[in-house]
Amino acid sequence: MIDLWTWTTPNGRKVSIMLEELGLPYRVHAVDITNKEQFAPEFLKISPNNKIPAMVDNETGMTLMESGAMMIYLAEKTGRFLPTDSEGRYRTLEWLMWQMGGIGPFLGQAHHFLKFNPGKAPYAEERFFAEAQRLYGVLDKRLEEREYIVDDYTIADMATWPWISRYEWQRIDLDDYPNVKRWYVEIAERPAVQRGYHVPKKVNEIPVPSS
């Protein structure tokens, strides 16, 4: 049994989607970040950076914070969604790091300025919208001749998809990125993704662009 501390954010959904894809039993602990529950002393013991998600693998005693580290751990634990050959492994890790260093931080800033604080900082809105467009362009190019980010469905896809699911918050029109749109819709149809998206609770349907 795995204990998962999470909330309805892209980073939280990465891990619940992966756990659903793996079919591993897990127990969910909701951490309502809108009520600052991530700063509770008991959560700090599990996640020293006061961020969700975090997990404890009760089989091994391993405690982890940081979604990328958790996904690598689960992939190695089960032997799934992370290629074992050198090229495939490092290509997957390369694009996982791209998500963690680019897609996550910059789209998060786009949410902050474009969705929650429009009109307050025009320069920041312009900067992060432009970076969102650039990142979507990178992903669209990557998916031009392949079904998934690293050919097969991997943790790189699971890590990136939840951020793309907020394309409306980023003021992105997926019709401008047809390869991303095809990839996004295909993954959105996976039953495990649909289950994992609604952990720890359902707040909305998965956004689906018009065809």
Side-chain angles (χ1 to χ4, degrees), residues 107 110-111 114 128-137 163-164 166-177 180-181 209:
L107 295 190
H111 298 166
L114 298 172
F128 291 112
F129 178 54
E131 182 62 8
Q133 291 175 303
R134 189 192 72 80
L135 289 164
Y136 270 80
W163 286 97
I164 304 303
R166 286 186 169 172
Y167 61 91
E168 294 170 311
W169 290 22
Q170 302 143 16
R171 300 182 187 173
I172 291 292
D173 183 348
L174 288 183
D175 286 335
D176 294 335
Y177 307 94
V180 175
K181 182 178 180 179

Side-chain angles (χ1 to χ4, degrees), residues 47-58:
S47 179
N49 196 34
N50 297 111
K51 299 285 187 180
I52 61 95
M55 60 169 270
V56 174
D57 183 346
N58 293 291

Side-chain angles (χ1 to χ4, degrees), residues 94-151:
E94 171 185 61
W95 284 93
L96 176 65
M97 299 306 155
W98 174 78
Q99 183 280 307
M100 293 165 61
I103 284 283
F106 284 98
L107 295 190
Q109 291 298 314
H111 298 166
H112 179 80
F113 290 105
L114 298 172
K115 169 71 173 176
F116 297 109
N117 296 282
K120 292 184 179 179
Y123 170 76
E125 289 185 43
E126 180 181 348
R127 169 178 166 77
F128 291 112
F129 178 54
E131 182 62 8
Q133 291 175 303
R134 189 192 72 80
L135 289 164
Y136 270 80
V138 172
L139 183 58
D140 199 66
K141 181 67 175 177
R142 178 67 184 174
L143 292 167
E144 196 170 62
E145 297 179 352
R146 49 179 58 84
E147 185 176 7
Y148 299 109
I149 294 175
V150 192
D151 298 318

